[in-house]
Amino acid sequence: MTQKVAVLGTGKIGEALLSGMIRGGWAPSDLMVTARRPERAEQLRTRYGVTPVTNPEAAKSADTLILTVKPQDMGALLTELAPHTPADRLVISGAAGIPTAFFEERLPDATPVVRVMTNTPALVDEAMSVISAGTHATAAHVTRAEEIFATVGKTLRVPETQQDAATALSGSGPAYFYFLVEAMTDAGILLGLPRDKAHDLIVQAAIGAATMLRDSGEHPVTLRENVTSPAGTTINAIRELENHGVRAALIAALEAARDRSRELASGNG
């Protein structure tokens, strides 16, 4: 890899990307980082052999800038970067809810911008990263973003109009599963199991179910029906889930997440 990449605002996700890129073949000498705290930058240098720089230095030197700061800090970062960013720099945004137009308005004319919504399983190389091209981004720019984010999981291209929906399903998605595991663990305790055993049972069930969903090629309805015997335990549980409106609650929850993503995009933080 000869392209120089800078990760700006290197938190947990940014560090996961650094680690993934190095495992994927990037030389540490081609990777730069910025961090708010000097001690954090030095920690990254020690851990990965990458080069700490300032944000303006990153803009001048790197071929690709990956912006991983919090959405509320993005405007100030772009103000700092704009005077130093050549128009041929690829800018990749990892900020939830911020459209590519926000970056294009604040950076030099024709700057290529790619928007990526990844999720926290990037920390274990099981991310789902949803990628959309801005107005000036070419297929080659999108491919470069895919090459970077593929080091920590899977990638999917979507039109930017679908990014808010993808954020609701995938960006926030892991939290819904953690919430479900938490509730099922409490149920296991109520049924008489120790917490650690309930946790282990549920986590392995989740891993097995996810693997079957990914690898079997079967529709989730078919997989559920395979577990659901007539007049058995599973159908009684499913009936209670339906009686309590769990399906409708999930749909409403994802709509709420989508709507919040739209609010963030419109600047109503």
Side-chain angles (χ1 to χ4, degrees):
M1 304 288 180
T2 57
Q3 292 277 338
K4 290 191 176 294
V5 178
V7 180
L8 280 65
T10 312
K12 289 184 178 180
I13 295 294
E15 183 174 355
L17 281 173
L18 280 178
S19 176
M21 282 188 283
I22 291 169
R23 293 193 307 277
W26 271 264
S29 58
D30 289 330
L31 300 176
M32 291 171 270
V33 295
T34 77
R36 181 171 294 178
R37 294 178 293 109
E39 59 269 27
R40 169 62 173 165
E42 283 304 312
Q43 180 187 64
L44 293 166
R45 183 208 297 268
T46 301
R47 190 172 293 169
Y48 299 104
V50 297
T51 305
V53 293
T54 65
N55 290 326
E57 287 170 344
K60 294 174 186 176
S61 304
D63 300 290
T64 300
L65 306 176
I66 305 175
L67 312 186
T68 62
V69 301
K70 295 176 181 177
Q72 60 267 32
D73 297 329
M74 193 62 77
L77 176 61
L78 293 175
T79 298
E80 184 180 9
L81 292 177
H84 310 284
T85 306
D88 62 349
R89 292 288 184 267
L90 170 59
V91 175
I92 299 175
S93 164
I98 302 183
T100 55
F102 181 90
F103 299 86
E104 292 165 351
E105 291 166 0
R106 290 161 174 79
L107 292 170
D109 289 344
T111 298
V113 179
V114 173
R115 178 177 172 182
V116 181
M117 183 68 249
T118 193
N119 56 17
T120 55
L123 300 171
V124 293
D125 293 346
E126 291 290 350
M128 183 75 249
S129 300
V130 184
I131 298 176
S132 302
T135 304
H136 309 294
T138 66
H141 293 129
V142 176
T143 297
R144 195 186 309 170
E146 286 177 328
E147 289 171 349
I148 292 170
F149 282 85
T151 65
V152 292
K154 293 184 178 296
T155 64
L156 178 69
R157 296 189 190 191
V158 301
E160 189 169 12
T161 54
Q162 296 176 4
Q163 273 281 356
D164 294 322
T167 297
L169 266 73
S170 180
S172 301
Y176 314 146
F177 288 97
Y178 302 145
F179 184 86
L180 181 61
V181 168
E182 179 187 0
M184 291 176 69
T185 301
D186 287 343
I189 295 168
L190 178 66
L191 297 175
L193 289 167
R195 178 175 292 276
D196 59 341
K197 287 185 171 58
H199 175 83
D200 289 348
L201 288 168
I202 295 160
V203 169
Q204 187 56 39
I207 291 170
T211 302
M212 291 184 72
L213 280 167
R214 183 189 64 192
D215 297 345
S216 70
E218 298 284 356
H219 193 279
V221 170
T222 301
L223 294 173
R224 178 177 60 78
E225 288 177 345
N226 289 342
V227 189
T228 310
S229 303
T233 59
T234 305
I235 192 61
N236 275 274
I238 296 294
R239 179 187 64 185
E240 288 302 313
L241 291 171
E242 294 289 9
N243 286 343
H244 286 81
V246 171
R247 186 188 304 265
L250 281 170
I251 292 171
L254 268 67
E255 286 180 326
R258 186 270 322 270
D259 293 346
R260 179 55 178 156
S261 183
R262 288 176 175 173
E263 289 177 2
L264 290 170
S266 66
N268 297 321

